Amino acid sequence: MSNGHSHHDEPALTVRPGSSTAAVHGGGRPPRTWPRGTSTPIFQSSTFELDDDAYADIVATGGEGTWWYTRLGNPTLDAVSARIAALEGAEDAVVFGSGMAAITTTILALTRAGGRVVAARELYGDVFDLLRQTIADAGRTVRFVALDDLAAWKAELAGADTMYVETLSNPMLRLADLPALAALAREAGAVAIVDNTFTSPVNLRPLEHGFDVVVHSATKYLNGHSDLVAGAVVGPSDKLAAVRQLAVRLGGCLDPSAASRLDQSLKTLALRVERQNENAAHLARWLQSHPEVQAVSYPLLDSHPDAQLAQRLLAGGGGMVTFQVSGGDRRAAAVMNSLRLALQATSLGGVETLISAPHNTSHLGLSTPEREAIGILPGTLRLSVGVEDVADLVDDLDQALTRTAASVIGEAMS
Ligand code: PLP
């Protein structure tokens, strides 16, 4: 090989192996030293060859310095973890097979049995159910508090182990006073955990605002191509050691192929999110002035209840825009069916624009009054804005809103 590396470090065992042996062992073993490519190799291996040094490390430390089984550690997973830690400005990170695996492991690792977790009432539905049922069944007391009720947070946090919040609520994109919440957690000696999925580290790095641990559904902005499911936890080494130890027991580790694709996608995270910020801010302003639109929620709009906080905390408003069309949910469905570019799908953060109605997807589990209490009124649509040319997205939404207007289709829809 021109770079001095050989394919074969070890001599072949037999001169003329049978075809089954050749199929399994032919070509020899991989070289011990590989050339450095421009991207991280995929170590698509569940296990790794051991030698005397590896056994010595396993006996002495439990194998901390050795890659020997992928659920315990794998070079591709370590590489993508290190990139995510760098993006959040953290010491350490662990990746998982889903956001839910990351969140479950983190909450259980950092809240003692018999201890208490104080969580925001406004949470992603599966995480709300996880806390209310599974975490409570696992012997932790769970208390829910309204995001903006700082007095209630202070009261509930006394003696608590952990705080759990999200950076932007779904779908109304409410923003909590995160530095104030982190300060309350610190005062109470509770570990402050925050889900940064909706903002991404491009728009907000919660560790800089006093949070201890950040969790992600890496399925969303971190990966950005809607082609895999993954999760991540980042924070200081001592907290992450507890998370990693429980991750090994609970399982939920990420597959190396998915880790490699996530690693590659992360290289364009800032490019994608900056474009999504621009597109979403443009669409939010345009929708606000559209006669067929009744209300728009976007953190950087002056009409947003948390606009001042958003301007102080966020580097960009993010790629999510929630809006309400006149004519209720039937009209909303007609608008979605008329779109040519935006795809009807849940999830978010991908390069392609997605649209969904919370009442029959993300917030199906809530009654109509419960939905209205958190601002989801009939006709509400949630856009995850992609990286397309914004003029094309405007045209697409405009034709859908115009074609479905009551004045055009000749019936009052309500
Ligand atoms: N957190 C938030 C804010 C989410 O939106 C989601 C998924 O939709 C999750 C966590 C769960 O992540 P995953 O679907 O990757 O398990």
Side-chain angles (χ1 to χ4, degrees):
M1 307 293 290
S2 58
N3 56 6
H5 295 283
S6 153
H7 278 306
H8 309 281
D9 283 359
E10 264 86 22
L13 267 183
T14 51
V15 179
R16 214 183 278 277
S19 53
S20 292
T21 303
V24 177
H25 296 285
R29 307 225 284 285
R32 284 178 189 277
T33 51
W34 292 80
R36 276 190 187 165
T38 52
S39 60
T40 309
I42 308 174
F43 283 86
Q44 193 65 43
S45 207
S46 59
T47 189
F48 299 89
E49 272 194 87
L50 300 174
D51 57 17
D52 288 348
D53 288 347
Y55 292 123
D57 177 60
I58 290 167
V59 171
T61 71
E64 276 175 23
T66 299
W67 287 301
W68 56 309
Y69 186 66
T70 282
R71 177 162 48 73
L72 282 58
N74 172 299
T76 310
L77 303 193
D78 288 1
V80 69
S81 300
R83 200 184 301 281
I84 294 172
L87 281 161
E88 287 284 6
E91 273 175 10
D92 199 2
V94 186
V95 287
F96 289 83
S98 71
M100 290 307 296
I103 292 164
T104 305
T105 308
T106 302
I107 294 172
L108 283 176
L110 301 177
T111 316
R112 292 164 304 162
R116 188 187 327 153
V117 47
V118 187
R121 194 175 290 162
E122 300 83 351
L123 287 179
Y124 171 61
D126 284 346
V127 173
F128 187 70
D129 291 341
L130 169 76
L131 284 161
R132 187 163 64 146
Q133 293 158 10
T134 319
I135 300 290
D137 288 349
R140 278 73 169 169
T141 303
V142 181
R143 294 262 208 274
F144 292 102
V145 176
L147 255 186
D148 55 2
D149 190 348
L150 291 182
W153 279 102
K154 192 175 164 71
E156 293 290 356
L157 279 167
D161 287 342
T162 48
M163 158 190 276
Y164 189 90
V165 299
E166 292 174 359
T167 48
L168 282 177
S169 74
N170 178 15
M172 299 315 293
L173 310 172
R174 294 299 306 267
L175 177 67
D177 188 342
L178 296 169
L181 286 177
L184 287 176
R186 180 134 312 178
E187 241 175 72
V191 179
I193 307 166
V194 62
D195 180 332
N196 197 23
T197 300
F198 268 56
T199 17
S200 94
V202 176
N203 289 329
L204 180 76
R205 278 186 295 278
L207 300 183
E208 292 172 3
H209 297 283
F211 277 84
D212 298 298
V213 174
V214 176
V215 295
H216 275 279
S217 169
T219 314
K220 312 292 166 25
Y221 287 99
L222 293 188
N223 183 59
H225 295 79
S226 309
D227 59 358
L228 59 82
V229 176
V233 182
V234 303
S237 307
D238 59 333
K239 305 282 187 306
L240 270 278
V243 171
R244 188 173 277 115
Q245 192 180 34
L246 190 60
V248 166
R249 291 199 196 143
L250 292 182
C253 87
L254 185 61
D255 184 76
S257 289
S260 164
R261 273 183 289 138
L262 174 57
D263 194 57
Q264 187 160 29
S265 294
L266 284 169
K267 294 178 185 178
T268 58
L269 175 70
L271 296 177
R272 287 185 278 107
V273 171
E274 282 161 15
R275 175 64 168 253
Q276 286 166 309
N277 284 343
E278 273 173 37
N279 281 0
H282 184 97
L283 282 177
R285 272 184 243 108
W286 176 80
L287 284 165
Q288 203 173 30
S289 64
H290 199 289
E292 297 295 325
V293 173
Q294 290 185 310
V296 181
S297 180
Y298 187 71
L300 297 181
L301 288 181
D302 289 338
S303 57
H304 192 282
D306 308 315
Q308 281 189 342
L309 207 51
Q311 273 150 21
R312 180 154 65 84
L313 296 181
L314 302 180
M320 303 300 291
V321 181
T322 299
F323 64 104
Q324 187 199 0
V325 293
S326 52
D329 289 333
R330 277 183 61 204
R331 170 75 183 292
V335 169
M336 287 198 289
N337 284 331
S338 303
L339 288 166
R340 293 166 185 153
L341 282 180
L343 308 175
Q344 288 185 58
T346 58
S347 199
L348 59 133
V351 291
E352 61 289 299
T353 296
L354 303 182
I355 191 161
S356 60
H359 79 92
N360 62 5
T361 54
S362 57
H363 293 72
L364 180 65
L366 272 58
S367 65
T368 304
E370 281 174 330
R371 276 195 292 270
E372 293 190 358
I374 59 168
I376 306 172
L377 302 176
T380 297
L381 288 169
R382 189 189 84 171
L383 264 183
S384 168
V385 181
V387 304
E388 299 94 335
D389 294 280
V390 74
D392 294 330
L393 294 174
V394 165
D395 284 352
D396 192 28
L397 280 163
D398 196 31
Q399 62 83 23
L401 288 165
T402 307
R403 281 206 295 148
T404 58
S407 58
V408 175
I409 59 177
E411 64 170 293
M413 298 173 97
S414 61

